Amino acid sequence: MRVLITGAGGMIGARLARRIACDGAVVDRAVTSLVLADLAAPDSPDAAFPVQTMAADLGTGAGRASCLAEAPDLVFNLAAVVSGAAEADFDLGYRVNLEATAAFLNDIRALDRVPRVVSTSSVAAFGGDLPDVVPDAHCLTPQNSYGAQKAMGELLLADHTRRGHMDGRCVRLPTISVRPGRPNAAASSFISGIIREPLAGEDAPLPVDPGLTVWIASPDCAVETLLHTASLPKGALGPGAVVSGRGLSVTVAEMLDALERAAGAEARARVICAPDPVVAAIVGGWPKAFACTLATALGFPVDDGIDAIIEAHMRDIGH
């Protein structure tokens, strides 16, 4: 099994690479090679098989050709510009999240094999007048550029899959929390920051009302979700080749309550109210909960609760 991960320098991509390197197998097949690509060459995990890291821009033909040189059997396409950056720079978002994705899928189509392609979408593909719990078949009405780009990416993957160019399967990941490291340009970055920064002894701005409800999953759950998506039988996701991954529906206030239970009132006090109407408008328009009927039936993973998510992050950072 030859595996390619694009966007492998990101938090989820790097964690997925380490997991595959540790397991030595994916989809019940031994991994014979792993290619990790991002704009800057990612770190290489220790593995019992060859691991190649490369700097490659999917927006260029040369970058795509480098990624696909070994004709992978399995592709995890995680390369993307995040929500806040895509909304702030219209051209950048469409160039990376749509145009480069379309070109990459077309280049995969030209391979002499039909690889399995796992792609990620987002809850931002939904928007507008949403029910409290979004059913699997709810129409996509994104209300920001990032969501529109992700929705179009879903349709592209489904059409290539329908035509037999690849065995595509797309999973809409919840907002990932708690992300280690520093804040990024995602509009949802604060959802990790309000836990991560206080645990590190730093203040964290809260740009939204504490009553806001968010749909989240832990980094470990996200990796398990990607691997589970890859393991499904061909056609398991139906003609749309897409599934909404399972998550937790929690309010920001409930997250802060859990932070206080885990680290005390002093940690909670480090979260400082700092209203940001732009962030609030983007994140406030995202779904608050999903039915996840298909994901549940297919045995997708889900976190045990917000306390378990924070405890896992504290173990990761040695707190």
Side-chain angles (χ1 to χ4, degrees), residues 61 81 89 98 106 120 123 125 138 149 155 168 182 225 245 267 274 284 291:
V81 168
D89 190 331
L98 182 60
N106 206 44
T120 55
V123 298
H138 193 82
Q149 294 148 16
L155 292 173
R182 303 305 302 170
T225 295

Side-chain angles (χ1 to χ4, degrees), residues 78-228:
L78 310 182
V81 168
V82 296
S83 55
E87 191 68 9
D89 190 331
F90 182 89
D91 293 325
L92 174 66
Y94 273 90
R95 186 165 63 249
V96 175
N97 292 341
L98 182 60
E99 294 168 15
T101 296
F104 186 52
L105 294 178
N106 206 44
D107 286 355
I108 292 173
R109 169 192 171 194
L111 296 175
D112 62 356
R113 64 183 62 240
V114 179
R116 191 168 296 194
V117 179
V118 178
S119 183
T120 55
S121 186
S122 166
V123 298
F126 297 90
D129 187 13
L130 294 170
D132 291 340
V133 178
V134 178
D136 286 352
H138 193 82
C139 62
L140 302 182
T141 53
Q143 299 298 296
N144 55 76
S145 294
Y146 176 73
Q149 294 148 16
K150 285 298 186 179
M152 287 185 274
E154 291 182 16
L155 292 173
L156 281 170
L157 185 70
D159 198 36
H160 277 289
T161 299
R162 179 185 66 84
R163 297 296 295 261
H165 303 153
M166 60 197 67
D167 176 7
R169 53 277 303 278
C170 182
V171 58
R172 300 179 187 120
L173 291 175
T175 297
I176 305 305
S177 181
V178 178
R179 286 178 172 269
R182 303 305 302 170
N184 63 17
S188 59
S189 181
F190 74 91
I191 298 175
S192 288
I194 60 174
I195 304 298
R196 181 185 58 228
E197 270 71 89
L199 288 174
E202 301 174 13
D203 289 345
L206 176 60
V208 301
D209 187 278
L212 176 72
T213 300
V214 292
W215 180 247
I216 66 170
S218 69
D220 285 339
C221 186
V223 168
E224 293 291 342
T225 295
L226 290 171
L227 292 171
H228 190 74

